[in-house]
Amino acid sequence: MKKSLFFISYCLLLLSVQSIFAQAPKPKTINIENSDLVEVNQVLVPDGILLTGNVKVNHDGVVLTCNKAYFFQKENYIKAFGNVQLVQGDTLFLNSKYAEYSGNLKKAFATGDAVMSSPDATLQTDTINFDRNVQQVFYNTKGTIVNKDNTLVSKSGRYYVEEKKFQFLTEVTITNPKYVIKSNHLDYYSNSGHTYLLGPSTITSKTNYIYTEKGFYDTKKNLAHFLRKSYIRYDDRLIEGDSLYYNRNIEFASATRNVKITDSINRGIVKGHYAEIYKLKDSMFVTKRAVAVNFVENDSVYIHGKKLMVTGKEGERILRAYNNVRFFKVDMSGKCDSIHSNSKTALTKLIGNPILWNGDNQITGDVMHLIGDNNTKKLDSLKVLNNTFLVSRDTLGTGYNQVKGINLFGKFRDGKLHDVDVIKNTEVIYFMRNDAKELIGINKNVSSKINLILENNAVETITFFNKVDGDIYPEADLPENARKLRGLVWRGDERIKSKDDIFTAEDNELNDKLVQEGKDEEAKDKDVPLKVRKETLDYDKKKPAVKPAKTSTKTKK
C-alpha cells in the first residue's frame, strides 16, 4: 500500500514538472526581413548564413540593421558588422561598428564607437551591453552622456530604459554651464533632470561650493535638497545643517536643525534650528534657539534672541536680535528687548528695558549704547541715557553701592569699565572701607556730576563736582530705609553668568526636542532613499518665513 502511494505521488510530481516546462514559451526566432545577398559559406561562417548589403532583421519588437551579418539560425544568434543600428520602439537607438544579439537570451552587445540614443540623452562609449529582459543598458568603459542641459562623464554606468534613469556607482562628473557635480554614487533621470547624490559628492560653481553625502538636485530648475553632513560654502560664509534647501536661481538657502553659519571674514558664527539666507541681498534670518557668536578682544560674545537677522555686505553688516535678548561675554552680560549692532559704525544699541552687568556692577537706563573701535577691534565706551542706575553689592555687608543720575558715559579698558561719568541730578550711596576692608562710613550725597575710576570692577576713587550736598554717616546713624535710592531694583538673581545662561528653560527644551528628532530621523532614513522636500519640487510655492531685510546701514539716533 505504501509503495502504491509513493508511486502515485511520484507520477503526480513528474506530470506537474512536465506541465511547467510545457507552458514555458519558446524563444521567438530572429526574422530576416532584408539582405541584398544571402549565401552559405562554411569557410567564412561555419553552420551559419552570410547576409550582405542592407541587412535588416527583426526580433520581438527590436529591429537591427547593418552592412553585413552572420546569422546562426540554430542558436538564434546574429553577429552584425558595419553601420550597426539596433532600434527598440522610438525610445532606444543603439549604434556601433560591431554588435551581437541573442534571440534566446534577448541580450545585445555593441562595440566600436558605440552610441546609445534616447529622446532625452545620448551615451557614447566603447562597449555597450543591453539586456532586454530587465530593460537595462550597462557599460564598463569611459562613457560620455549628453543631453540638453548637462554632460556626464563616468568610468561605468547603467541605464534603466523604462525609468529613463542613469545610475553610476563609480566616479562620475556632471558638467552644467553653471556648475560641476562630482560623485561616486549618483542617479540621474534624463527626462526630468533630477539627480540623486548618494555618497560623498561636490557641486562647484563660481558662486559657491556644496558638499553632501545624501542629496537631491534638480538640474533643470536649479533647486536642491541636501541631507547628511552637507554644507554650502561661499567666499565669506559656510552654511551647515541637518537639512538644506537651495535655490540657485535666487541664491536662496534654508537650513533646518543643528544650523551653523560661519562668517569667516567677520569672525562670527550664528547657530539655531532654522535659518534662511539670501546671498544676493546679503540677508540672513535665524530662529529656534538662535545665537550669534562674535569674536571680540580675544573673547567670544554670545547673543541670543528668538529671532536673529544679519544684513549688509562685509564690513557693513548689521545684526538685529529680537524678543527677550540675552548676551554674554566673560566680563560682561546683559538683557534687553532687542539689539541693533552695526559693524561699520561699531555701535550696538540695547533697546527696551536694557540691563548690563560689567563685573559686579549692574547698570540700567532707558537707552543704552555700546561703542567699539574698528581700528583696535575693542570695546571703547558705554552711553546710558535717562534714569541711569549703577549698582553693586557691598562685598562685606548687606548693602548696595549706588550711583543714580540722568546720563552715564563710560570708557572701557581691556573690556572692563574704567572711567565713568554720571551727570545731572546725581545721587550716591557708597559704603566706604579702608585697606583692611573695615567700614569707615556710608557716603550719601547729591551733586551735579560724579566721576568714578574703577579697577578690577571695584571703585577706586569717587569725585563729586558742583553743588555737592551730603555727608559720610556712621553705619549706626543711617537707618536701613535711608540706604536705598528711590527706584533701586537689584536684579542679581537674573544675572547671566555663562554662555549657557543666555538660554531659557523653554529654549533648552526646544533644543533637546529638535536634536532628538534629528537623531531619530537620521537613524530611520539612513539606508532608505532620499525623501525630497515637497517645496523643492514645487519651488514656485516656496515662501520664506520672513521677507529679506533691506541692507541700509542707517540707524536711528
Side-chain angles (χ1 to χ4, degrees), residues 173-444:
T173 300
I174 299 179
T175 302
N176 181 283
K178 294 183 178 180
Y179 53 82
V180 175
I181 300 176
K182 292 185 177 182
S183 179
N184 286 329
H185 186 175
L186 181 149
D187 289 353
Y188 175 76
Y189 291 81
S190 58
N191 59 335
S192 65
H194 291 178
T195 301
Y196 291 83
L197 307 165
L198 304 171
S201 309
T202 62
I203 304 173
T204 307
S205 69
K206 292 181 179 179
T207 58
N208 58 33
Y209 174 88
I210 299 171
Y211 175 84
T212 185
E213 294 185 7
K214 192 173 185 179
F216 164 83
Y217 199 102
D218 187 329
T219 60
K220 290 188 175 181
K221 295 180 179 179
N222 278 318
L223 303 171
H225 180 202
F226 304 114
L227 302 174
R228 195 180 298 171
K229 301 178 182 178
S230 302
Y231 62 79
I232 302 173
R233 183 192 298 278
Y234 291 97
D235 291 336
D236 57 347
R237 285 179 183 171
L238 177 68
I239 305 166
E240 302 170 84
D242 289 355
S243 176
L244 299 177
Y245 165 84
Y246 176 58
N247 185 334
R248 186 180 294 278
N249 304 297
I250 58 175
E251 285 297 345
F252 167 81
S254 66
T256 305
R257 277 198 305 272
N258 296 312
V259 179
K260 181 180 179 182
I261 303 164
T262 304
D263 186 334
S264 57
I265 294 179
N266 292 296
R267 300 193 302 172
I269 295 174
V270 180
K271 296 181 179 180
H273 286 293
Y274 181 75
E276 294 182 351
I277 302 94
Y278 300 81
K279 178 66 172 62
L280 300 179
K281 297 178 181 292
D282 289 304
S283 180
M284 174 172 62
F285 165 80
V286 185
T287 188
K288 295 185 179 179
R289 204 174 185 266
V291 57
V293 185
N294 294 310
F295 194 68
V296 180
E297 298 182 37
N298 296 319
D299 191 11
S300 295
V301 180
Y302 299 82
I303 301 174
H304 164 64
K306 287 192 174 181
K307 298 178 182 178
L308 294 180
M309 290 194 70
V310 182
T311 59
K313 295 181 289 186
E314 186 271 321
E316 300 179 1
R317 296 251 160 94
I318 295 176
L319 167 68
R320 298 174 177 88
Y322 301 96
N323 300 336
N324 193 21
V325 175
R326 303 151 75 93
F327 60 93
F328 172 80
K329 188 173 176 285
V330 169
D331 46 21
M332 181 185 296
S333 62
K335 298 167 62 175
C336 57
D337 293 338
S338 61
I339 276 181
H340 184 287
S341 183
N342 189 322
S343 64
K344 184 177 181 179
T345 60
L347 173 63
T348 299
K349 296 181 178 181
L350 312 184
I351 304 166
N353 304 310
I355 180 170
L356 185 72
W357 291 278
N358 183 246
D360 295 326
N361 300 305
Q362 171 186 296
I363 304 170
T364 55
D366 293 347
V367 177
M368 194 175 294
H369 293 173
L370 288 166
I371 304 159
D373 187 324
N374 277 332
N375 294 321
T376 63
K377 302 300 181 184
K378 292 183 177 181
L379 199 56
D380 178 76
S381 54
L382 168 68
K383 181 188 295 184
V384 183
L385 305 178
N386 299 328
N387 298 316
T388 296
F389 240 113
L390 190 153
V391 187
S392 65
R393 268 189 179 279
D394 176 42
T395 55
L396 301 179
T398 57
Y400 298 93
N401 296 315
Q402 306 155 59
V403 179
K404 179 182 178 181
I406 302 298
N407 301 325
L408 179 152
F409 301 96
K411 297 289 287 184
F412 287 92
R413 178 186 290 179
D414 298 326
K416 300 176 182 177
L417 271 178
H418 174 69
D419 191 330
V420 177
D421 287 326
V422 181
I423 61 174
K424 293 184 181 180
N425 303 330
T426 60
E427 300 178 60
V428 169
I429 292 179
Y430 184 73
F431 289 75
M432 303 182 68
R433 296 182 180 275
N434 58 23
D435 294 339
K437 304 299 181 183
E438 296 171 338
L439 183 63
I440 299 172
I442 302 173
N443 188 338
K444 182 175 182 180

Side-chain angles (χ1 to χ4, degrees), residues 103-114:
N104 293 341
L105 300 177
K106 297 181 70 174
K107 293 182 179 180
F109 164 83
T111 188
D113 298 331

Side-chain angles (χ1 to χ4, degrees), residues 37-41 44-45 48-52 68-71:
L37 179 63
V38 178
E39 59 181 312
V40 175
N41 189 330
L44 189 61
V45 190
I49 300 174
L50 175 61
L51 308 174
T52 307
K68 183 177 69 174
Y70 300 160
F71 177 45

Side-chain angles (χ1 to χ4, degrees), residues 358-361 416-418 453-460:
N358 183 246
D360 295 326
N361 300 305
K416 300 176 182 177
L417 271 178
H418 174 69
I453 302 297
L454 294 84
E455 293 290 345
N456 297 321
N457 295 315
V459 177
E460 184 75 12

